[in-house]
Amino acid sequence: MPGFTVAGIAHTGGSALEAVAAHRPDLVLLDLYLPDMSGLDVLHRLRTLTGADDTPPVDVLVISALRDLDSVRAAMHGGALYYLIKPFELSALREQLERFATARSKLSGLDQVTQHDVDSVFGVRRPAQRRELPKGLTAETARLVAETLRAAGTDLSAVEVAERAGIARVTARRYLEYLCADGRAELRMRYGSAGRPEHRYRWQG
């Protein structure tokens, strides 16, 4: 994902703790099934490991197949930002990473925060509220248009989205308008030397 870099990959709890101490990452994706210790133990030890020298504690996103309530509660009480249950769609992980990046960006460089800032940060724990798809739209095509716009890395017209996604221009425009209403895309107007302005769409996340 743009904006993220893998600092290290660990297959045991012990090596995970060593990697965090060495690389000081901003975020750890933590499984609870580990061969040498529980992921919950790793989570609790991370809280003391990264805060000993005034370094902010690393944020943790738990990804696990464990579904029992005790594990979920222990992870949240241990300071996990979110608990993602396997199996899941890639979009679910991407959404949490995007929310983490947005919250971190909003707080960067601030000495004091407003209630709105706090709500944005703790909003990482809450799943995003999506608008219901309008009648006639399908989730699969909405996902296709969203991925096309996201992958572009720049603004596109409805015609360009239609060509890249392999759908009709009118269809592309309807889904782009839905994404704009949902807050995941932004409409921009490009004014030329003459004629009507061109509608351009850009991914917002």
Side-chain angles (χ1 to χ4, degrees):
M1 280 187 60
F4 288 85
T5 301
V6 177
I9 300 175
H11 299 286
T12 66
S15 59
L17 293 170
E18 293 175 356
V20 170
H23 299 295
R24 301 287 178 168
D26 299 313
L27 179 68
V28 169
L29 306 184
L30 178 65
D31 199 342
L32 299 187
Y33 277 124
L34 299 172
D36 56 340
M37 67 175 74
S38 166
L40 293 173
D41 291 334
V42 174
L43 175 61
H44 294 311
R45 290 175 63 176
L46 284 176
R47 286 291 163 263
T48 58
L49 174 67
T50 58
D53 57 355
D54 296 328
T55 302
V58 64
D59 287 312
V60 177
L61 172 60
V62 171
I63 300 176
S64 178
L66 287 174
R67 297 169 176 264
D68 62 285
L69 184 57
D70 289 341
S71 295
V72 176
R73 282 178 171 170
M76 302 306 282
H77 290 164
L81 290 176
Y82 197 70
Y83 194 108
L84 197 56
I85 298 176
K86 299 178 183 179
F88 52 84
E89 293 185 0
L90 179 59
S91 59
L93 174 60
R94 180 183 290 115
E95 179 177 294
Q96 292 306 316
L97 293 177
E98 288 176 344
R99 290 167 70 82
F100 168 79
T102 299
R104 184 175 178 83
S105 176
K106 286 182 177 180
L107 291 188
S108 178
L110 294 179
D111 294 324
Q112 293 184 331
V113 297
T114 65
Q115 184 63 54
H116 178 72
D117 295 326
V118 173
D119 291 342
S120 297
V121 174
F122 281 92
V124 174
R125 294 176 177 266
R126 299 193 298 269
Q129 299 298 317
R130 298 296 190 202
R131 292 172 179 261
E132 291 186 4
L133 281 168
K135 187 175 181 179
L137 302 190
T138 67
E140 290 183 0
T141 305
R143 189 177 302 113
L144 172 63
V145 173
E147 291 293 339
T148 300
L149 197 59
R150 186 206 310 272
T154 185
D155 57 274
L156 297 175
S157 67
V159 173
E160 291 169 331
V161 171
E163 291 175 348
R164 297 188 184 197
I167 58 179
R169 179 187 61 81
V170 175
T171 301
R173 182 179 292 278
R174 288 191 64 196
Y175 282 92
L176 288 167
E177 290 174 349
Y178 159 71
L179 292 174
C180 287
D182 195 40
R184 286 182 281 170
E186 177 187 28
L187 171 62
R188 299 179 177 182
M189 308 298 287
R190 176 183 293 178
Y191 294 88
S193 57
R196 298 175 59 185
E198 182 183 18
H199 290 67
R200 308 287 298 182
Y201 300 87
R202 188 180 183 90
W203 180 254
Q204 291 289 96

